[in-house]
Amino acid sequence: GPEVEPDNTFLLKQEGIDVAVRGEAEEVFPAILDRLAGGEDLEDMPGTAIRTANGLGEFTPSAPVTFPLSRYPSPYLAGILRIDSERSVYMETARGCPCRCEFCYYSRGDAGVRRLDARASAALCGQLKDAGARSLILLDPSFNQRPDFRPLLEALAVLNRDRALAI
């Protein structure tokens, strides 16, 4: 995630971390597992720092992140995470942030923003609602700066006209 950066000494000094992946790991993490299963080393994996006897090493350069958010299904809808109507469901409809705030880790990576469009975002919310979700928490760092903000709000209003979903 955005917090895994070379300057986050608190996180990186934790002894329970053997491999740190900088930024988004959807593409890198399966490759790490494949290499570990095959007994191969991880030294040249993009955007990673590997634990040695002296602690975590330096991060390798990160590969650009270009995959569309639609490539990977919601872990809730894929059955990886259980939807509990008594708990919130966390979701992303965007990655990245157009702002360059000094205090925020999101601006330290790629300045681009990748989004699900308003239709896909509303459909995802609807699928989660149909699967039993009653509370959705959007993790988008700049939700209100979407170019399709108004159409998305309108679609969510239609989807939630029964007010069964807290968003």
Side-chain angles (χ1 to χ4, degrees), residues 40 85 125 150:
E40 300 173 51
S85 63
C125 291
R150 183 174 285 298

Side-chain angles (χ1 to χ4, degrees), residues 76-142:
Y76 295 100
L77 297 176
I80 297 167
L81 297 175
R82 187 173 64 84
I83 294 175
D84 180 346
S85 63
E86 300 297 316
R87 300 180 60 97
S88 296
V89 169
Y90 296 89
M91 60 179 283
E92 291 178 303
T93 65
R95 293 252 180 107
C97 183
C99 303
R100 304 298 289 167
C101 303
E102 284 293 320
F103 60 84
C104 182
Y105 276 104
Y106 277 99
S107 67
R108 301 211 178 156
D110 184 12
V113 179
R114 298 181 335 278
R115 295 180 180 90
L116 294 175
D117 63 31
R119 178 179 293 157
S121 297
L124 176 58
C125 291
Q127 291 170 323
L128 290 166
K129 178 183 177 186
D130 291 345
R134 295 295 165 252
S135 174
L136 299 180
I137 298 191
L138 293 159
L139 300 173
D140 304 5
S142 54

